[in-house]
Amino acid sequence: MYSSSLFEGNLDDVSAQEPQRSPIGVFDSGVGGLTVLRQLYRHLPNESIIYFGDTARLPYGIRSQAEILQYVREILHWMQQQRVKMVVMACNTSSALALEIVRGEFDLPILGVILPGAKAAVQQGKRIGVIATPATAKSNAYRHAILEIDPSVQVWQVSCPEFVPLIEQNRINDPYTTEVARSYLEPLIQQNIDTLVYGCTHYPHLAPVLRSLLPAHVKLVDPAVHVVAACTQELELLGLSNTHPPLPTRFVVSGCPQQFAQSGVQLLGHTPMVEVVDFTDTAVSQF
Ligand code: DGL
């Protein structure tokens, strides 16, 4: 079992008596989900959050469906042990490859980013580009979701294998990153897209770089904004919205806590205190 001073002793009582006060579980392979966390802070300021980054096993985008499924099941199982009231998969790769399968396996509301992103995209344009991890692009999850909502639009997907490692290494402002971005965007600009979907939660961290390369008329769609809107609706529907002040966010990773804390400073604006979990013995220690 984990131990944490924040929840110790009262978590079971709180969850049982006032489930509204239980945290929302948010996870990603790394710092990508912080773009979803940012939106949660903005739109659901009363919610307590447990953020998990599976940094020991990133990038997810080059992994097989069987691997992603195993990781997602482990994370959801752990989230259940933390008594979360809902889970937001702040990861497109997990949402594309695992969401539909695990939804039926866990007695928890679980939200993914693809459908909210697809719905938002069709409201923005007719020539839609999607940048995503290799696994998400290969799954065609965005193409299918978008065309199911509106078969009259056109969709182009580009796999961007270098983005996640560059972002995790804090190389957002490196000129090399701009060159990589230029090569990924080139075929989409050639197709004269009017809308670009961030098909990976890491990519909004690259917004200034991407904006500088895209024609001004191209609209950017960040599914993070829209999954948080869905989350707000779902909480209200289930009577699970918290009206009390939230607990501080718990940040938990499977890899190096120092590295996550370092990236977190830039992306969150403060240094997060980061715990480590080892799923092999579910021990948690603090950094
Ligand atoms: N940020 C995740 C996504 O939205 C995972 C990226 C990765 O680890 O490759 O797909």
Side-chain angles (χ1 to χ4, degrees):
M1 276 303 284
Y2 82 100
S3 74
S4 160
S5 54
L6 287 177
F7 293 92
E8 206 164 28
N10 65 3
L11 186 68
D12 284 345
D13 293 349
V14 168
S15 304
Q17 288 163 24
E18 290 188 271
Q20 302 91 330
R21 296 180 82 161
S22 297
I24 296 174
V26 177
F27 79 86
D28 178 42
S29 60
V31 297
L34 297 181
T35 59
V36 175
L37 186 67
R38 222 161 38 189
Q39 299 300 331
L40 283 166
Y41 285 161
R42 191 168 299 164
H43 298 286
L44 291 169
N46 287 326
E47 298 300 334
S48 302
I49 294 160
I50 298 183
Y51 183 94
F52 176 72
D54 198 1
T55 54
R57 303 189 284 201
L58 70 80
Y60 274 16
I62 54 166
R63 298 197 177 268
S64 67
Q65 184 178 31
E67 285 174 304
I68 302 289
L69 254 177
Q70 183 203 321
Y71 302 163
V72 168
R73 285 181 174 131
E74 284 175 3
I75 294 165
L76 291 173
H77 184 68
W78 180 80
M79 288 282 185
Q80 267 187 327
Q81 289 176 342
Q82 313 308 302
R83 301 281 189 271
V84 299
K85 62 183 175 186
M86 178 177 285
V87 171
V88 178
M89 278 188 185
C91 172
N92 289 267
T93 312
S94 306
S95 305
L97 276 74
L99 178 62
E100 290 312 319
I101 299 170
V102 297
R103 249 193 190 141
E105 298 176 357
F106 291 83
D107 187 19
L108 258 180
I110 308 172
L111 304 185
V113 276
I114 307 262
L115 190 59
K119 280 185 187 163
V122 297
Q123 281 166 9
Q124 294 293 329
K126 286 276 176 203
R127 301 179 68 81
I128 300 171
V130 180
I131 46 174
T133 65
T136 302
K138 193 168 155 228
S139 76
N140 275 313
Y142 269 105
R143 186 191 301 284
H144 292 147
I146 290 170
L147 293 178
E148 199 164 311
I149 302 165
D150 185 349
S152 74
V153 304
Q154 283 180 282
V155 183
W156 293 270
Q157 301 175 120
V158 171
S159 155
C160 309
E162 289 205 66
F163 275 165
V164 168
L166 287 168
I167 294 162
E168 288 287 336
Q169 291 159 22
N170 259 328
R171 293 177 61 191
I172 292 168
N173 300 316
D174 187 327
Y176 176 73
T177 304
T178 305
E179 282 323 299
V180 170
R182 194 189 303 282
S183 71
Y184 290 151
L185 293 181
E186 178 66 21
L188 296 173
I189 294 171
Q190 293 277 321
Q191 292 300 337
N192 198 19
I193 57 162
D194 55 24
T195 305
L196 180 69
V197 180
Y198 294 119
C200 169
T201 52
H202 280 74
Y203 301 171
H205 293 311
L206 293 173
V209 177
L210 300 175
R211 195 68 275 177
S212 75
L213 296 168
L214 286 166
H217 72 274
V218 175
K219 293 179 211 109
L220 285 163
V221 172
D222 183 357
V225 177
H226 306 282
V227 73
V228 170
C231 188
T232 308
Q233 269 186 356
E234 191 78 358
L235 288 173
E236 277 168 18
L237 202 73
L238 298 171
L240 285 175
S241 306
N242 190 23
T243 49
H244 297 86
L247 292 166
T249 302
R250 276 182 70 196
F251 292 94
V252 186
V253 296
S254 56
C256 173
Q258 288 91 341
Q259 192 179 338
F260 187 87
Q262 260 166 27
S263 312
V265 185
Q266 272 202 347
L267 306 172
L268 287 166
H270 66 88
T271 310
M273 196 168 73
V274 185
E275 303 164 50
V276 187
V277 68
D278 176 356
F279 285 133
T280 51
D281 66 1
T282 57
V284 172
S285 52
Q286 249 174 31
F287 163 66

